Amino acid sequence: QRTFVYLMYSARKDYVPVSFCYSFKEFDGRPTNTAVQHDALEFINILFERLEEAFKKTPYRQLLQSVFGGKSCSQVICSNCGYVSATYEDYYTLSLEIKNQRTLDDSLERFIAESTVSDYRCSNCRELVNAVKRTIISTLPNVLIVHLQRFSYNFDTFTNEKIHTRLEFPTVLDMTSYTEEGYKNKKQESTVQSEASPVQNISDMKEMEIEEPMYSASVSYTHLRAHETSLHLVCRLLLEKKKKKKK
């Protein structure tokens, strides 16, 4: 708690986590060895696992899920009958590929990119077809943690290589296009141009401020859910803020 309080509320941009490293034990019960480099995703997975175990028999057992928990949806679409087979999975972090990607939006597009599955047996029409597979976001968390895959496996040298290329990300991250709801709206817009999308009125959202990420290896954003009522509420609050400034 002391570590996160310093990171969130202190005027300093850094914090020496000596006490935290001593308290956060390794699997053998020893304090964290600061001489050994660990992956940021591995660290946060272990941290969340231990917090879940600690909160299990307390009123806070749903705390992590309510703040950081989201759901992804893996879909397989039959090319013959159009049937969509969907599998949902909980997540705390989005792990994105950044190799050969210029921006965070490019990495997100890569995350939801479609691929072809050959000789897929559709459970609806029972035909053997080439199906389309994709993963999209079903539910976004209140706080989204994005993990950047800075290491890539080289099959020529059989070693992990660190990626040092620049990756740009916006000050305001609109996740609508990568969600299940946003994908449906985009598909409807392409077929019926007269129907307005519920995510069009967000031009003023660029004025929203977000907190700086707590870790350089992962980017944290306070996320605005891509629901029409929430967007209308945000736009209304921004307009009220503008009116107050004018007065």
Side-chain angles (χ1 to χ4, degrees):
Q1 290 177 333
R2 187 183 295 110
T3 301
F4 288 107
V5 167
Y6 269 97
L7 289 171
M8 292 182 66
Y9 300 110
S10 173
R12 295 182 57 180
K13 293 185 177 181
D14 54 60
Y15 174 72
V16 181
V18 176
S19 57
F20 176 79
C21 293
Y22 184 81
S23 302
F24 192 78
K25 308 295 184 182
E26 299 282 2
F27 291 106
D28 57 2
R30 298 181 181 180
T32 301
N33 187 352
T34 56
V36 179
Q37 185 175 4
H38 292 277
D39 181 71
L41 182 61
E42 179 186 2
F43 164 74
I44 200 166
N45 285 340
I46 296 174
L47 177 62
F48 278 13
E49 182 181 331
R50 294 184 182 181
L51 288 174
E52 280 187 327
E53 185 64 29
F55 294 154
K56 188 174 291 185
K57 296 181 180 180
T58 71
Y60 307 106
R61 56 183 176 276
Q62 297 295 329
L63 178 61
L64 293 179
Q65 183 65 33
S66 64
V67 178
F68 302 103
K71 283 185 181 292
S72 62
C73 178
S74 179
Q75 298 179 336
V76 181
I77 303 98
C78 176
S79 59
N80 182 50
C81 66
Y83 177 75
V84 179
S85 175
T87 303
Y88 294 88
E89 186 178 351
D90 295 331
Y91 71 85
Y92 283 136
T93 62
L94 282 184
S95 187
L96 303 179
E97 294 182 26
I98 63 170
K99 187 176 182 180
N100 301 324
Q101 309 300 320
R102 190 176 61 86
T103 66
L104 186 62
D105 285 299
D106 293 338
S107 295
L108 286 165
E109 289 290 347
R110 171 74 175 170
F111 178 78
I112 65 170
E114 297 179 348
S115 60
T116 302
V117 180
S118 302
D119 299 329
Y120 172 76
R121 178 73 67 180
C122 178
S123 59
N124 184 57
C125 65
R126 303 297 179 183
E127 294 291 330
L128 199 64
V129 298
N130 289 334
V132 174
K133 183 179 181 181
R134 64 168 176 254
T135 300
I136 53 179
I137 299 169
S138 176
T139 305
L140 281 158
N142 290 305
V143 177
L144 175 64
I145 301 176
V146 178
H147 170 253
L148 307 179
Q149 297 179 17
R150 283 286 180 187
F151 289 90
S152 177
Y153 191 76
N154 190 322
F155 289 95
D156 294 326
T157 61
F158 300 103
T159 57
N160 284 322
E161 295 181 350
K162 191 170 185 178
I163 301 170
H164 296 280
T165 55
R166 177 186 175 88
L167 184 78
E168 299 176 357
F169 58 89
T171 55
V172 175
L173 182 63
D174 182 9
M175 293 290 293
T176 306
S177 302
Y178 315 111
T179 63
E180 193 173 9
E181 181 183 356
Y183 192 89
K184 290 178 182 177
N185 292 332
K186 189 187 297 183
K187 193 172 182 179
Q188 290 175 357
E189 284 181 351
S190 63
T191 55
V192 185
Q193 295 295 330
S194 60
E195 291 186 9
S197 169
V199 293
Q200 289 177 341
N201 301 321
I202 58 173
S203 57
D204 292 335
M205 287 177 63
K206 292 182 179 179
E207 295 186 12
M208 296 292 291
E209 296 181 357
I210 59 172
E211 298 179 357
E212 294 184 357
M214 290 190 292
Y215 299 103
S216 60
S218 60
V219 186
S220 299
Y221 292 95
T222 300
H223 174 74
L224 299 174
R225 293 183 181 278
H227 295 293
E228 184 175 8
T229 53
S230 298
L231 291 172
H232 287 170
L233 176 62
V234 171
C235 292
R236 183 170 61 81
L237 292 174
L238 287 172
L239 289 173
E240 290 178 358
K241 185 179 179 182
K242 284 185 177 180
K243 290 179 180 178
K244 289 181 180 179
K245 286 184 177 179
K246 288 181 181 180
K247 290 180 182 179

